[in-house]
Amino acid sequence: YRSQYGLNAIYVILPNLYGPPPKSSPSYASHVIPIFIKKIEEAVRSNAEYIAVWGTGEAAREFLYVDDAAEGILQAIERYDMPEPLNLGSGHVVSVREISEKISALMGFHGAIRWDTTKQYGQSKRFLDSSHAKKLLHFEAETSFDDGLKKTVAGFQASRTINTQ
């Protein structure tokens, strides 16, 4: 889109992104999936009987794998020419409880997950309507949540192996 000032620009809105850890991004460690990976990694290492997690586990979020996000952004740059923001999402919402269970299984944690319901976990459900991107760009995320989560956990484990040698 060419603005009144002659600038070409687009505005893309993304949901929560996930994927293998970037080489240097302290803020990435504060996201939902990396937090669970780190908590569960520590629980496995220390043979903990449980991990404590804020909320009820019912809060749900939409996640988009980083490679799919990059592809969607490239498609938008090449083919989207409108002033309105464009939502790029996966169309898949997953609960915090489901995330914790999936990461536990991938990392071999067999302890309990104790939900601290005295602590809030934000909005109950957060997701994007990406139908516009699907219609205009034919954009659809190619990475399933389960496959992306496997790659993400493997990336964290590989980075830990490299950093501890």
Side-chain angles (χ1 to χ4, degrees), residues 36-91:
F36 272 117
I37 291 171
K38 288 179 180 186
K39 263 186 191 256
I40 293 169
E41 178 183 60
E42 178 57 35
V44 168
R45 190 178 308 125
S46 66
N47 291 322
E49 294 180 18
Y50 70 92
I51 61 168
V53 182
W54 286 13
T56 64
E58 302 307 312
R61 301 288 182 263
E62 178 178 9
F63 291 88
L64 183 63
Y65 190 68
V66 291
D67 291 353
D68 292 329
E71 180 58 34
I73 291 167
L74 287 174
Q75 287 181 28
I77 289 169
E78 292 171 356
R79 301 180 7 223
Y80 188 69
D81 192 26
M82 301 175 85
E84 296 83 24
L86 181 68
N87 294 338
L88 292 176
S90 65

Side-chain angles (χ1 to χ4, degrees), residues 86-89 91 128-139:
L86 181 68
N87 294 338
L88 292 176
L128 299 173
D129 176 1
S130 300
S131 60
H132 203 56
K134 185 174 182 177
K135 180 181 171 186
L136 294 175
L137 305 177
H138 306 288
F139 173 78

